[in-house]
Amino acid sequence: MTVPRDFQEPARCRPDLVIGRDDLFGQARDRLTRGGSVLLHGPAGIGKSTVLRALATEYGEASHTVLRCSATESESHLPFLALADLFGLVLDDISDKLPAAQRTALESALTGRGESTLQRDGLALRLAVLSALRALAAQGPVLVVADDMQWLDPASLELLGFAARRLGDIPVRMLCAVRTEGPEYDRHLRVLPPDSLAVRFNPLSRAQVAALLDHRGYTGLQRSTVRDIHRTSGGNPFYALELGRALSENPTLPRPGEPLPVPTSLRALVLSRLQMLSEEARRTLLVASAGARPTPTLLHAAGRGDAEAEMAQAAALGLLATEAEGPAVRFAHPLISAALYAEAPAQERRDAHRALSTAASDPIERARHLALATTGTDPEVAARLAEAAALARDRGAPSMAASLGLLSARHTPADSVPAPDVRRLTAAEDAITAGELDLARDIARDVLTRATVAADRVRAWIIVIDTAGHAMTEVDAVFPQALADAGDDPELLALIRYQLAWRALLVEGDFDEARGEAAHSAALAARAGDRYNELMALSFQAQLETLMGHPDAPATIKRALKEPQDPRVACHHNGAGYSRFRWLIMSDQLPEARATVTALLREVRRRGSVESEVHFLRGVAETELRSGHCGRALDLARESLMMARDTGIGEVASAVLASLAEASGGQVERALELAREAVDHAEENGDQMYESRGLTALGYAQLVAGDAQGAVRSLRRVRELEHGLGITDPARGRWQGDLAEALVRIGETGEAQDVIDVTRVNALRLGRESVLAVLDRAEALVRAARGEHDAALVQLTSVQDRLAKLGHGLEEARAAFVLAQLRTRRPGPTSYDEAARLFRRCRALPWLRQVEAAALARPVEPEPAATVAPDGLETLEGLASMERQVAALVMEGATNREIAARLFISVKTVEATLTRVYRKLGIRSRVDIVRLAAGRRP
């Protein structure tokens, strides 16, 4: 039976809706599943009760009896109240199973009719609680749920602890939650059975807060606003939701530099203590709350002469942290600072900022405080803010630069030079660098409502296009308007042509058109003397040519690296430095590629460029994956994906790389999920290039999962897409070897050899040594399938050695695995030890599991190929897939060249396939195939 309690379980407390607590939920679930008990602890509002209710719902269904108790602070002095909550409704069911003395003691405690107390009948009452639990457990499993343990009365806690220590193997589980501000949960843990699990709830990350707000319907918040909510709430989900609610009810969002509106529900948590401060102490704390990094020295400089004594008063009330953490003044929680600032009158806030505008040592801080102390326009204040924004930009703080730039625009008179909208657009560009795309888009759209200057309008259009990312179909209507605004100005046209190059690649999937637009943009920028945009266009042209396998790629890279250089291009994710990295990694120069992209990552982190950081994190992860460092690659790929989802930048590309890393060194199911997610998003965005990359990751994950048929379907689609895109460099996606291997697994050795032959031509032309080695590994599988075992073993031994020398650790291990598998088909001893050692070195856990499974399984001999009798149309079913396709196209009247183009194979391969078809069908020519189609014997 389940005993009802005084609250209804809300429907939203399902486990799948416990935002940001997956790991904690999993830990608690594992312990409860094994029959153990769990104590959830952490500060108020951190989410303990949400998880407790979700777990109680899940495990309550499997329990015969659920006992619940909860209390409030006002009830904590009432003895045995928790005991009454737990046993009040079941006492009648079990009272006859208790000895008389124990029954009397328990009834007296629950009803208050007798004089029994812990002091008077202590042993009988303790034994009564233990006996009651045993009696209930005899009927079926028991779950004890206790929330807010800090308010349970001491007498009940003592009795529960006595019983819990003596339950032994009796099927009684306890699920409890207690509010703690630090690690002081030990005394509450003593109430639970020995070896119970204590789960600490820490603050949510910014990404988790964003997901929570989105789930609760507070959508459309700018990234900077979510960042402020996270900072103000301290990662506390309850506080974050209350702040989100206050924002949703506020008709206007706070302006840059202004704090979030703090709702009354949260102010009440701290205002009662603030009212106990003296007026002077409150003013001192207001100055501290307005400062970015308040210290006693700063407070003195701002005119607060008795700061130390007033801070001591605040610390005694729990408003300031009391532990020694250096000279900074730290509030006990960010919400206290926010509530104090929100409660202060506007004039007092301005006075605090005015004092700090001269007291702060940092010029950026001084400028910010001056702006917040000033009302109306002021050209001097606007100029100081613009200078501070430039300084923040140089320091690698683009988010601060954007905030200062907007403040500067707000204080800029309408007739000033530069105009307010020019400063707004600069702020929007800083916001893009910081990854705050929604803020940048809003600024640009606002400027476009009134701008009349062509340069300003084109600049705003470019910002709108940039914030669309890979979803460029959403801004198709922008391009004609931008071109009209640009007129015949080569500098403005260069900006738009550069964006059109990206559109040609991402939307049209046309590498030739994209390359042409990039070259056109570079020429226009050179004519206008715009070196920055000339270098950006040349860098993009070089990237395109590298992917196409174009012979001009090295020369274009050299042009893009030619002096004079622009430092902004050197470390841009679409700059020449990244183009060089792509060329290095595709050319198997892994140490040089790692050094290049690591240096780029270090520099963009210094500059604070979030978009470039996401790209370069992926670059480092890809290099580690190619090198066979799967664990390191997985960590970096997950970090990149988290940052991409947090900012909305490069989500598809990060999901693709994370899928490859998961399939190599993590969880294959997660790899499949990420790859399908990437493919879906790319299809929605009309992005053929990333659709092919997503399918590449999906095919690889399917191959690792043992789904060869699925891998073939995915990778055949990749072949079709890349043929349409004009991509000829096999090092771009490195899927060809996987497709050939999957084809061998499903018995399509002819098509597998075709893939190998066609790819090998381009790999030889471009000198892609690792690709050639992987193709040879796949060809060894084809040979083995055809019975050429000796030749296959010799080829594989060479492949493993070549991949080791190139530093491709994972591919080397895969070659060793195939080698071991083929040796099992021959008589004599065999061993998977070498493959296991190499996969273990790579931390390639999914592959290692395959090795272990193969070592335990008995080798399976391949079945002999069935003999096909030529007997009219029915004999076509006996052909291999590629042979059937070629024969079907012959029946349609296609020439050999047309067949080769449609099936993405060479004419020579078509001829060889037809020879096999003739032999199998017992015919001699194409005419005989047509006769078979007509139902006549040749």
Side-chain angles (χ1 to χ4, degrees):
M1 60 179 274
T2 298
V3 179
R5 59 168 296 172
D6 59 352
F7 65 85
Q8 293 295 319
E9 301 291 353
R12 62 181 173 82
C13 291
R14 299 194 308 272
D16 58 322
L17 300 185
V18 181
I19 304 294
R21 302 301 187 191
D22 294 343
D23 290 344
L24 301 181
F25 193 89
Q27 293 175 35
R29 174 187 276 165
D30 288 346
R31 182 57 61 94
L32 290 167
T33 300
R34 294 197 299 268
S37 297
V38 175
L39 174 68
L40 313 175
H41 66 100
I46 203 68
K48 305 179 301 298
S49 295
T50 300
V51 172
L52 179 135
R53 287 194 293 268
L55 289 167
T57 299
E58 180 173 346
Y59 286 93
E61 294 175 357
S63 301
H64 184 271
T65 305
V66 180
L67 306 176
R68 305 177 187 271
C69 67
S70 184
T72 63
E73 186 175 9
S74 62
E75 300 169 343
S76 59
H77 66 287
L78 299 173
F80 306 125
L81 181 62
L83 204 65
D85 282 346
L86 290 171
F87 294 107
L89 296 179
V90 297
L91 183 59
D92 291 342
D93 297 330
I94 58 172
S95 60
D96 60 339
K97 298 179 177 62
L98 304 180
Q102 295 179 21
R103 182 170 60 251
T104 300
L106 186 57
E107 288 175 347
S108 298
L110 298 186
T111 62
R113 290 195 298 268
E115 297 180 355
S116 176
T117 65
L118 272 177
Q119 289 77 24
R120 183 163 181 168
D121 292 325
L123 181 59
L125 186 52
R126 289 177 174 87
L127 292 174
V129 173
L130 178 59
S131 297
L133 290 173
R134 285 173 171 164
L136 291 169
Q139 302 170 14
V142 176
L143 178 66
V144 178
V145 182
D147 199 3
D148 285 322
M149 282 184 70
Q150 72 278 1
W151 304 134
L152 299 188
D153 62 277
S156 295
L157 287 175
E158 201 279 335
L159 291 167
L160 281 176
F162 175 87
R165 291 188 293 273
R166 291 163 176 80
L167 287 172
D169 295 332
I170 297 173
V172 175
R173 293 174 292 185
M174 296 183 70
L175 174 61
C176 306
V178 62
R179 181 185 303 177
T180 56
E181 295 301 327
E184 68 284 1
Y185 62 88
D186 289 353
R187 64 188 182 90
H188 299 287
L189 193 59
R190 288 195 292 271
V191 177
L192 280 73
D195 300 325
S196 294
L197 175 67
V199 178
R200 170 73 181 177
F201 279 61
N202 291 314
L204 297 179
S205 68
R206 185 170 65 188
Q208 291 167 341
V209 166
L212 177 65
L213 292 167
D214 185 68
H215 170 66
R216 294 298 176 88
Y218 304 127
T219 57
L221 296 174
Q222 294 179 351
R223 179 171 177 264
S224 56
T225 302
V226 174
R227 182 188 61 216
D228 290 342
I229 290 176
H230 178 256
R231 183 183 63 246
T232 303
S233 68
N236 185 295
F238 172 72
Y239 297 166
L241 288 172
E242 286 296 289
L243 290 167
R245 182 180 59 80
L247 278 171
S248 68
E249 295 172 354
N250 205 336
T252 57
L253 292 175
R255 293 185 295 184
E258 292 183 342
L260 295 173
V262 180
T264 305
S265 60
L266 296 185
R267 292 190 200 184
L269 296 175
V270 296
L271 289 182
S272 58
R273 284 181 284 171
L274 288 172
Q275 290 169 358
M276 300 170 66
L277 288 172
S278 66
E279 183 63 23
E280 290 303 311
R282 191 185 62 79
R283 289 181 182 275
T284 295
L285 286 193
L286 176 60
V287 174
S289 70
R293 293 174 297 277
T295 64
T297 302
L298 178 66
L299 294 175
H300 279 295
R304 309 310 302 169
D306 294 330
E308 282 84 356
E310 290 157 356
M311 286 189 299
Q313 181 185 355
L317 292 171
L319 297 169
L320 294 180
T322 55
E323 63 270 20
E325 291 191 1
V329 176
R330 192 172 72 84
F331 284 88
H333 192 280
L335 186 64
I336 296 172
S337 172
L340 172 65
Y341 190 94
E343 191 70 13
Q347 186 57 50
E348 287 190 15
R349 294 187 204 171
R350 287 195 291 272
D351 290 343
H353 286 296
R354 188 170 294 107
L356 289 167
S357 69
T358 57
S361 58
D362 184 83
I364 292 178
E365 275 299 291
R366 288 199 300 270
R368 186 178 75 87
H369 288 302
L370 179 62
L372 295 174
T374 305
T375 57
T377 60
D378 186 320
E380 182 181 347
V381 171
R384 284 185 58 183
L385 285 163
E387 292 169 2
L391 180 58
R393 196 176 303 119
D394 291 341
R395 288 182 180 178
S399 182
M400 174 60 74
S403 177
L404 291 167
L406 290 174
L407 285 171
S408 175
R410 195 171 92 199
H411 291 288
T412 300
D415 57 352
S416 291
V417 178
D421 280 345
V422 172
R423 284 177 165 155
R424 288 189 180 93
L425 291 172
T426 302
E429 289 162 352
D430 286 326
I432 289 177
T433 303
E436 299 177 7
L437 304 185
D438 44 5
L439 174 61
R441 186 186 305 109
D442 290 347
I443 295 170
R445 293 287 189 187
D446 176 57
V447 169
L448 284 165
T449 61
R450 57 180 173 272
T452 57
V453 178
D456 293 348
R457 292 188 62 80
V458 170
R459 193 176 172 190
W461 288 126
I462 296 300
I463 290 169
V464 172
I465 295 169
D466 273 342
T467 57
H470 284 198
M472 297 193 79
T473 52
E474 297 177 3
V475 292
D476 267 348
V478 166
F479 288 100
Q481 299 176 68
L483 286 168
D485 285 331
D488 58 0
D489 186 320
E491 185 173 1
L492 300 180
L493 286 171
L495 296 172
I496 302 168
R497 290 294 168 190
Y498 178 76
Q499 296 293 345
L500 283 169
W502 276 102
R503 187 192 178 282
L505 174 66
L506 298 177
V507 178
E508 303 298 335
D510 191 328
F511 272 67
D512 286 323
E513 183 183 346
R515 177 175 174 266
E517 290 285 9
H520 190 188
S521 174
L524 287 166
R527 178 147 58 100
D530 185 351
R531 184 62 174 163
Y532 171 81
N533 284 303
E534 180 189 5
L535 291 172
M536 289 295 294
L538 284 171
S539 299
F540 186 37
Q541 182 183 342
Q543 285 191 51
L544 291 167
E545 290 173 349
T546 299
L547 290 173
M548 296 168 70
H550 197 285
D552 291 349
T556 307
I557 292 175
K558 185 178 290 187
R559 287 177 61 200
L561 291 170
K562 187 178 179 180
E563 295 294 339
Q565 282 292 309
D566 187 310
R568 294 172 297 169
V569 179
C571 63
H572 195 281
H573 56 276
N574 289 323
Y578 195 66
S579 296
R580 181 171 181 270
F581 160 71
R582 296 292 340 154
W583 184 78
L584 287 168
I585 198 169
M586 292 171 72
S587 303
D588 297 317
Q589 301 180 56
L590 296 181
E592 295 87 347
R594 181 187 291 107
T596 299
V597 74
T598 301
L600 289 170
L601 179 61
R602 185 165 52 246
E603 178 62 17
V604 298
R605 280 177 167 166
R606 186 187 71 79
R607 290 174 174 266
S609 176
V610 175
E611 185 170 7
S612 292
E613 182 178 354
V614 172
H615 276 74
F616 296 154
L617 266 174
R618 287 201 303 269
V620 178
E622 182 182 353
T623 310
E624 298 295 348
L625 194 58
R626 298 276 171 241
S627 303
H629 305 149
C630 298
R632 171 73 174 149
L634 184 58
D635 291 341
L636 290 165
R638 286 172 174 171
E639 182 182 354
S640 171
L641 181 59
M642 184 181 299
M643 184 176 291
R645 286 179 168 168
D646 188 20
T647 60
I649 294 172
E651 292 182 77
V652 175
S654 295
V656 167
L657 187 65
S659 173
L660 292 169
E662 290 283 359
S664 299
Q667 303 171 12
V668 180
E669 287 301 319
R670 178 63 175 154
L672 293 166
E673 176 186 336
L674 287 168
R676 291 188 177 107
E677 172 189 316
V679 172
D680 289 344
H681 286 158
E683 288 177 342
E684 289 172 11
N685 295 337
D687 185 344
Q688 295 183 49
M689 186 175 72
Y690 271 97
E691 182 185 353
S692 77
R693 295 190 66 178
L695 285 165
T696 298
L698 179 59
Y700 174 65
Q702 289 167 325
L703 185 66
V704 177
D707 179 11
Q709 287 281 6
V712 168
R713 284 194 300 272
S714 298
L715 297 178
R716 277 176 176 163
R717 175 60 178 155
V718 175
R719 180 176 61 185
E720 179 184 338
L721 285 168
E722 291 205 354
H723 180 80
L725 289 167
I727 298 173
T728 60
D729 192 335
R732 182 257 183 183
R734 298 177 182 268
W735 49 267
Q736 296 85 354
D738 290 338
L739 174 55
E741 181 175 335
L743 286 165
V744 172
R745 290 190 188 183
I746 65 170
E748 297 290 353
T749 55
E751 185 181 350
Q753 188 64 55
D754 293 335
V755 171
I756 294 165
D757 292 341
V758 172
T759 307
R760 186 176 279 139
V761 172
N762 288 318
L764 284 167
R765 175 174 62 85
L766 297 167
R768 303 307 192 210
E769 293 297 329
S770 63
V771 174
L772 288 167
V774 169
L775 291 174
D776 283 352
R777 184 183 69 205
E779 190 170 54
L781 286 170
V782 174
R783 287 183 168 182
R786 292 174 175 173
E788 304 170 20
H789 286 88
D790 290 337
L793 292 172
V794 171
Q795 191 170 20
L796 278 171
T797 304
S798 170
V799 165
Q800 185 179 344
D801 182 59
R802 287 154 57 198
L803 288 168
K805 289 178 180 177
L806 290 169
H808 284 257
L810 182 59
E811 299 294 355
E812 176 196 357
R814 287 181 63 180
F817 184 26
V818 174
L819 191 59
Q821 287 177 307
L822 293 188
R823 283 175 175 158
T824 62
R825 302 181 184 180
R826 299 166 62 87
T830 187
S831 174
Y832 286 93
D833 291 348
E834 173 69 359
R837 181 185 70 81
L838 292 173
F839 281 130
R840 197 172 290 112
R841 184 183 69 183
C842 294
R843 285 187 59 193
L845 302 182
W847 285 107
L848 185 59
R849 286 191 284 270
Q850 286 195 34
V851 174
E852 292 169 347
L856 293 173
R858 294 178 60 186
V860 179
E861 293 295 328
E863 295 181 4
T867 301
V868 181
D871 185 20
L873 280 175
E874 293 76 14
T875 61
L876 293 182
E877 294 302 316
L879 300 178
S881 174
M882 177 61 70
E883 294 164 351
R884 285 197 304 273
Q885 292 180 64
V886 170
L889 290 172
V890 169
M891 292 173 182
E892 294 175 12
T895 67
N896 286 4
R897 187 171 297 278
E898 289 170 343
I899 294 170
R902 290 176 65 174
L903 297 181
F904 311 106
I905 58 179
S906 65
V907 174
K908 184 178 179 181
T909 302
V910 174
E911 294 168 353
T913 304
L914 281 173
T915 299
R916 293 195 300 271
V917 170
Y918 299 158
R919 185 175 65 250
K920 287 185 178 182
L921 298 183
I923 59 180
R924 290 182 293 180
S925 69
R926 296 167 60 93
V927 175
D928 291 337
I929 294 180
V930 176
R931 288 172 176 167
L932 282 175
R936 302 192 304 273
R937 295 186 62 83

